[in-house]
């Protein structure tokens, strides 16, 4: 197959992945509303999990195919993108203001999850590590649910309610369930096309799978986070946007890492590069510190995040030729 045809298939996979994840997020949010799930859980857990589905599927698919570098590269790159490039681009257009307790509640948990995943990635993911990350994922979800009680003046519930509008009628829950199923199927199919063709392009262009993973593939799997963030910020839902990005990084690290480790079976996933793992952890810490300063990301701070990504990316590419 020609390079152009391979690239075209990869783009088709990317479109399927993005559209499927978007429908999955919307359907899951509305279905959770019908089932009377707490709005904070919808915003932090349901929407965060939904936008992270492409990372889970793509990295799991790559691990099953024996392409561990692409699998880990996708997770590492997505974690960096979420809290630097995406958060920075959105905040440059319009400063992000957070009025809820999301930074206090989620940011430390996100940094802890990213750090644990980074430690396993440095020493090499095994099946046992995957199981341990799965256990930690359950613990993190339980903790988020436990912390889901918010004060009456917290703005996150209102943001979530506006995001899932219009809510379906109670008797029409099956429509949103079908939307979730179709979205998941499109995500799975798109992931297969994206992984297979991205790997082919990497070999033809002389790039490593790791580089393709934390650049091209990471950008593709982070599009749902970008779309949700742009939509949320455009409507003034800064709390939902930040919660989605922080939650996505937490789930990418714990659940995504668990999927890769378990999918690899008895084979050990080779250690990932120290520079990439360090950059991922530093990016998470930087976003947390900026949010902690005043529960906002100003335009100058957004430029700091964009510069951080711009400086990290060339270093990662040179370290993974």
């Amino acid at each position: 197959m020609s390079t152009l045809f391979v690239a075209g298939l990869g783009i088709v996979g990317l479109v399927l992945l993005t559209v499927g994840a978007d429908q999955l997020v919307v359907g899951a949010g509305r279905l959770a509303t019908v089932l009377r799930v707490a709005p904070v859980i919808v915003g932090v857990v349901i929407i965060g999990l939904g936008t992270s589905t492409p990372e889970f599927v793509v990295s799991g698919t790559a691990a099953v195919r024996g392409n561990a570098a692409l699998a880990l590269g996708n997770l590492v790159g997505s974690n960096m993108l979420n809290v630097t490039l995406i958060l920075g681009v959105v905040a440059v257009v319009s400063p992000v203001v957070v009025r809820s307790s999301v930074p206090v509640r989620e940011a430390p948990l996100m940094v802890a999850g990213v750090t644990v995943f980074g430690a396993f990635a440095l020493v090499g993911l095994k099946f046992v590590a995957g199981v341990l990350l799965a256990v930690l994922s359950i613990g993190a979800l339980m903790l988020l649910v436990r912390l889901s009680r918010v004060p009456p003046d917290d703005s996150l519930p209102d943001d979530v309610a506006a995001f899932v509008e219009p809510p379906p009628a109670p008797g029409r829950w099956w429509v949103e369930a079908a939307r979730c199923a179709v979205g998941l199927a499109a995500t799975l199919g798109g992931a297969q096309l994206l992984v297979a063709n991205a790997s082919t392009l990497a070999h033809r262009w002389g790039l490593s799978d790791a580089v393709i993973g934390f650049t091209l593939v990471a950008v593709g799997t982070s599009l749902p986070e970008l779309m949700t963030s742009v939509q949320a910020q455009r409507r003034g839902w800064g709390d939902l946007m930040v919660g989605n990005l922080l939650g996505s990084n937490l789930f990418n690290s714990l659940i995504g890492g668990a999927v890769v480790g378990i999918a690899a079976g008895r084979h050990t996933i080779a250690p990932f590069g120290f520079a990439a793992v360090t950059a991922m952890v530093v990016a998470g810490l930087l976003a947390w510190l900026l949010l902690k300063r005043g529960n906002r990301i100003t335009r100058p701070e957004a430029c700091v995040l964009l510069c951080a990504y711009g400086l990290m990316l060339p270093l990662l590419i040179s370290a993974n030729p």
Side-chain angles (χ1 to χ4, degrees):
M1 292 187 292
S2 68
T3 299
L4 186 61
F5 184 71
V6 172
L9 287 177
I11 292 173
V12 171
L14 184 58
V15 171
L16 277 174
L17 192 71
T18 304
V19 174
D22 180 61
Q23 292 304 303
L24 181 61
V25 169
V26 173
R30 291 179 179 175
L31 187 60
T33 302
V34 171
L35 298 176
R36 301 186 183 277
V37 176
V40 174
I41 297 177
V42 175
V44 173
V45 179
I46 305 297
I47 296 176
L49 278 173
T51 55
S52 292
T53 302
E55 282 89 346
F56 305 156
V57 177
V58 167
S59 290
T61 301
V64 169
R65 288 172 171 266
N67 198 334
L70 193 150
L72 289 180
N74 173 45
L75 294 175
V76 170
S78 294
N79 282 347
M80 288 175 53
L81 273 162
N82 286 342
V83 294
T84 54
L85 188 61
I86 294 178
L87 185 57
V89 166
V90 173
V92 161
V93 175
S94 175
V96 175
V97 178
V98 182
R99 295 176 294 275
S100 71
S101 56
V102 165
V104 176
R105 182 178 59 241
E106 273 191 80
L109 193 58
M110 178 272 292
V111 172
V114 168
T115 303
V116 170
F117 166 66
F120 280 122
L122 281 177
V123 300
L125 271 172
K126 301 180 180 179
F127 179 81
V128 174
V131 172
L132 180 57
L133 285 171
V135 173
L136 291 175
S137 301
I138 296 172
L141 289 171
M142 292 175 63
L143 182 59
L144 286 173
V145 171
R146 188 178 181 85
L147 297 175
S148 63
R149 296 176 182 173
V150 295
D153 59 344
D154 197 296
S155 59
L156 184 58
D158 292 334
D159 289 357
V160 173
F163 180 82
V164 299
E165 286 287 347
R172 302 275 292 177
W173 63 267
W174 59 269
V175 174
E176 302 307 326
R179 188 196 300 270
C180 290
V182 172
L184 181 59
T187 302
L188 291 170
Q192 292 284 350
L193 283 172
L194 181 61
V195 170
N197 292 285
S199 182
T200 300
L201 288 177
H203 298 152
R204 290 188 181 183
W205 292 341
L207 298 172
S208 69
D209 289 321
V211 169
I212 288 292
F214 58 68
T215 54
L216 177 64
V217 176
V219 169
T221 56
S222 294
L223 284 178
E225 284 93 341
L226 176 60
M227 293 170 62
T228 301
S229 297
V230 169
Q231 179 184 359
Q233 182 64 1
R234 183 168 58 86
R235 300 185 182 183
W237 305 334
D239 304 275
L240 177 61
M241 187 207 71
V242 173
N244 172 49
L245 292 177
L246 297 181
S248 180
N249 271 23
L250 175 64
F251 300 140
N252 286 348
S253 301
L254 298 183
I255 300 179
V259 168
V260 171
I262 293 172
R266 290 178 294 179
H267 303 288
T268 300
I269 300 291
F272 205 68
F274 178 79
V277 172
T278 302
M280 174 183 68
V281 175
V282 168
L285 281 170
L286 177 61
W288 179 22
L289 291 175
L290 290 178
L291 285 167
K292 190 177 180 181
R293 288 180 69 244
N295 277 16
R296 65 177 64 237
I297 299 291
T298 62
R299 284 192 174 95
E301 291 169 341
C303 291
V304 171
L305 292 173
L306 293 175
C307 288
Y309 183 76
L311 290 172
M312 289 175 183
L313 194 58
L315 292 175
L316 297 184
I317 293 175
S318 62
N320 297 270

